[in-house]
Amino acid sequence: MKKVVLGFSGGLDTTYCVKYFTEEKGYEVHSVIVNTGGFSKEELEKIEAHAYKLGVKTHTTIDAVKSYYDNIIKYLIFGNCLKNNTYPLSVSAERLSQALSIAEHAKKLNADAVAHGSTGAGNDQVRFDMIFNIMIPGVEIITPIRDLKLSREEEITYLKSKGVEMNFEKSMYSINKGLWGTSVGGKETLNSKGLLPEAAWPTQVTKSGSEEVKLGFIKGELYEVNDKKFDHPSEAIQYLQTIAGAYGVGRDIHVGDTIIGIKGRVGFEAAAPMIILKGHHALEKHVLTKWQLNWKDQLALFYGNWLHEGQIMDPVMRDIEAYFTNSQQTVTGNVFVLLQPYHFQVIGIESEYDLMSAKFGKYGEMNTGYTGDDVRGFSKIFGNQTSIYHKVNNTPNP
């Protein structure tokens, strides 16, 4: 009997896949769920029970929260990566971590095939397929929902005919939760105009007033929140989320270009990720030089876009990560952030590596490291080549 490893969430599509493989194709199904921070212990237990009730041979839960951070999120923070200056790559980064873990599981089981429940309409099909082709070449990739062009109604009819009992009611909003943010899709995001209603957001606003939070970074990584120390940055992210989420900060709607060429619109809430990215960037602006920041910005734009398109295995990503890592040697210190309902603001930093020191001068007020004559000479030399160009070409004044 052929073995198929199925990326399993317990939802309609992957539930259909189990029945299709076991009863129509005669496969031995080994389901696997990769937790990247979006499931509670109770939810994972329910998903496991559901998988076995459907008839899988084995079900495996992979805790990938820390590896997700170590291999992907860390570099998104180092690069201050925001897709289209808006979106912290919540779902796209998560899917890559899941695909890598599923591929490793398929290797371990020596599976004949690997499967996922993606449709033919979005980015995830490309991310999963591409990583599987690279990581487990020769292993067949099967995607029943995409290949059979199934509608939701057809899946429900089939499962009911097999006696499957589950909640077939589709929520008004599609929600995907993970360590690095939660996406929210609904009728309001299907068009170019429209805001998600308050009730659509998974985390409701329950805090009022204002609150200051202190973030402690060590070489670019968050290890302390309000002087509470954590062994791993993923734990600090989750803790910060418990503080900031109830203020409703980090909400927005992202409009982006999909891998398959169409534009898409999706809402997201990412309180901790957005605060960390903005806080980390503020610290960097104090401790890094002008050209370190300049090149980081350029590399981060490419890195975020290429990761979004599933190219995590491209060796150029390791090269950029090496630059990011090296750039973080002095990114150590505290960042202070003010939280308010629907709004947060970075109010300052403290770092022994702060380059904004009064002993070197106060911007706009006083210099201590040079004289006025030094500046006169510098200004003439700094503009010398441009001056020569205009004299040679006799260009008019703008």
Side-chain angles (χ1 to χ4, degrees):
M1 184 179 289
K2 288 187 175 181
K3 290 191 288 189
V4 59
V5 166
L6 169 66
F8 186 77
S9 67
L12 178 65
D13 295 332
T14 54
T15 295
Y16 177 92
C17 288
V18 174
K19 282 299 182 184
Y20 174 78
F21 286 132
T22 55
E23 303 201 10
E24 309 302 328
K25 294 297 182 180
Y27 276 96
E28 181 180 283
V29 179
H30 298 265
S31 59
V32 55
I33 185 167
V34 183
N35 181 23
T36 49
F39 297 97
S40 67
K41 180 182 178 182
E42 293 72 26
E43 288 170 331
L44 291 170
E45 289 173 351
K46 286 182 181 179
I47 291 169
E48 180 176 0
H50 180 56
Y52 279 116
K53 190 174 181 180
L54 291 171
V56 302
K57 180 72 173 179
T58 66
H59 177 83
T60 303
T61 298
I62 297 175
D63 184 351
V65 174
K66 290 183 179 179
S67 63
Y68 176 31
Y69 171 85
D70 291 337
N71 297 325
I72 298 177
I73 292 177
K74 177 172 68 176
Y75 300 110
L76 294 179
I77 297 172
F78 288 175
N80 308 308
C81 294
L82 288 173
K83 176 72 172 170
N84 295 86
N85 295 315
T86 304
Y87 176 54
L89 297 160
S90 306
V91 177
S92 45
E94 181 177 285
R95 291 293 182 262
L96 300 178
S97 179
Q98 291 167 341
L100 290 166
S101 293
I102 292 168
E104 288 293 343
H105 192 63
K107 277 185 188 178
K108 181 180 177 182
L109 294 183
N110 194 27
D112 301 287
V114 63
H116 57 89
S118 298
T119 69
N123 289 322
D124 290 343
Q125 57 179 328
V126 178
R127 295 173 182 136
F128 280 113
D129 282 12
M130 189 159 50
I131 286 179
F132 293 160
N133 282 326
I134 295 168
M135 292 281 292
I136 44 176
V139 175
E140 184 183 6
I141 301 170
I142 312 175
T143 54
I145 310 304
R146 176 177 63 183
D147 298 340
L148 300 174
K149 300 180 181 178
L150 295 170
S151 69
R152 181 179 178 83
E153 290 70 26
E154 288 173 319
E155 292 179 64
I156 292 172
T157 299
Y158 174 81
L159 290 173
K160 285 183 175 178
S161 74
K162 298 296 182 181
V164 175
E165 296 179 0
M166 62 180 292
N167 182 10
F168 292 113
E169 293 298 319
K170 184 178 181 181
S171 171
M172 290 179 62
Y173 296 95
S174 174
I175 295 172
N176 187 91
K177 183 180 180 183
L179 179 66
W180 204 233
T182 301
S183 67
V184 186
K187 63 181 185 296
E188 295 85 359
T189 60
L190 296 176
N191 302 300
S192 298
K193 180 183 178 182
L195 290 175
L196 290 164
E198 187 67 28
W201 298 104
T203 306
Q204 294 292 291
V205 177
T206 58
K207 288 185 177 182
S208 59
S210 62
E211 177 180 354
E212 186 177 310
V213 63
K214 182 170 75 169
L215 310 180
F217 289 92
I218 300 174
K219 292 188 176 182
E221 297 189 73
L222 182 67
Y223 278 99
E224 291 186 25
V225 178
N226 290 339
D227 295 321
K228 184 177 176 65
K229 297 181 179 180
F230 297 90
D231 293 330
H232 193 269
S234 64
E235 298 165 349
I237 294 170
Q238 291 170 319
Y239 180 70
L240 178 60
Q241 182 67 34
T242 66
I243 297 173
Y247 282 102
V249 299
R251 291 179 178 181
D252 207 341
I253 292 182
H254 166 59
V255 180
D257 297 291
T258 64
I259 304 170
I260 55 177
I262 61 175
K263 288 189 181 289
R265 194 166 180 261
V266 67
F268 67 90
E269 60 173 38
M274 293 302 292
I275 291 168
I276 291 167
L277 286 169
K278 294 299 183 181
H280 174 266
H281 193 201
L283 180 59
E284 280 193 328
K285 287 190 285 187
H286 278 266
V287 304
L288 297 184
T289 66
K290 174 172 65 177
W291 292 112
Q292 283 181 297
L293 292 166
N294 180 280
W295 279 105
K296 277 186 79 272
D297 286 347
Q298 295 183 56
L299 290 171
L301 179 63
F302 174 86
Y303 187 88
N305 285 334
W306 211 219
L307 183 134
H308 171 76
E309 300 196 351
Q311 294 283 3
I312 190 68
M313 301 298 290
D314 191 325
V316 73
M317 302 296 271
R318 308 292 84 75
D319 298 335
I320 297 173
E321 288 163 4
Y323 177 84
F324 283 167
T325 300
N326 192 67
S327 73
Q328 299 301 294
Q329 301 308 303
T330 61
V331 187
T332 295
N334 295 319
V335 179
F336 302 89
V337 181
L338 184 67
L339 305 178
Q340 296 173 311
Y342 307 105
H343 175 74
F344 73 90
Q345 184 174 1
V346 177
I347 56 178
I349 72 105
E350 290 177 347
S351 172
E352 64 178 302
Y353 302 103
D354 191 356
L355 302 178
M356 185 179 168
S357 173
K359 67 183 180 182
F360 300 118
K362 294 181 180 179
Y363 179 70
E365 294 185 15
M366 182 184 301
N367 68 75
T368 58
Y370 47 85
T371 67
D373 287 338
D374 291 335
V375 177
R376 287 190 185 92
F378 169 76
S379 300
K380 182 173 286 188
I381 294 170
F382 193 52
N384 191 38
Q385 187 174 75
T386 304
S387 177
I388 292 170
Y389 170 87
H390 286 287
K391 288 175 182 176
V392 169
N393 292 282
N394 194 28
T395 55
N397 293 327

